[in-house]
Amino acid sequence: MPDLWLPGAERHPLSDTAPTDTQYDPRVIWHITWDKNATAAKPADLVAFDKLVQYFTGGGKAVAPHLLWDPFTGRIAQFYPANSRSKSVVDTAGGTRTNRAPGRCVSKSRRCSSRTAA
């Protein structure tokens, strides 16, 4: 892997990296990170991208993805290098290590709200 950091992404490295399970093929999981519980009937304003970055580098470290992408501006923040697991997918006790197996799993989180969710 020539570059563990996405070119052009803002780097916000978290210190608690851990290796991926390299015996499996690499994969990517796209998922959303919604900022507030809202509905189409009761929409909520978006949380600013910088606030989400602050969350994932502060109190939200325990659930940080590899990448946070803002489809409205194109900004990308990266929290973990590609050879580390992230923490955005929940592991269950004694179950599959969803952030590591099967394979080198890169977690990409899309900023979303009830106003953008389909």
Side-chain angles (χ1 to χ4, degrees):
M1 199 171 295
D3 195 348
L4 300 176
W5 296 90
L6 182 66
E10 301 169 15
R11 293 184 184 187
H12 301 278
L14 299 177
S15 61
D16 62 337
T17 61
T20 58
D21 289 338
T22 58
Q23 71 265 30
Y24 302 105
D25 291 331
R27 65 188 174 123
V28 171
I29 296 175
W30 282 92
H31 56 90
I32 64 167
T33 297
W34 68 82
D35 42 34
K36 294 181 180 176
N37 288 327
T39 64
K42 291 186 177 184
D45 290 333
L46 287 173
V47 173
F49 186 81
D50 290 326
K51 290 275 187 195
L52 292 172
V53 169
Q54 287 175 357
Y55 172 71
F56 286 129
T57 57
K61 285 181 183 179
V63 294
H66 282 93
L67 302 169
L68 177 65
W69 171 54
D70 186 340
F72 304 106
T73 66
R75 285 178 68 188
I76 300 172
Q78 185 169 354
F79 304 100
Y80 291 102
N83 65 347
S84 174
R85 59 87 183 100
S86 70
K87 293 184 172 182
S88 57
V89 182
V90 176
D91 288 334
T92 55
T96 299
R97 298 185 320 166
T98 54
N99 283 306
R100 298 185 196 201
R104 297 173 294 257
C105 178
V106 173
S107 172
K108 295 181 178 181
S109 186
R110 176 182 164 245
R111 178 178 176 219
C112 188
S113 78
S114 61
R115 292 182 189 212
T116 59

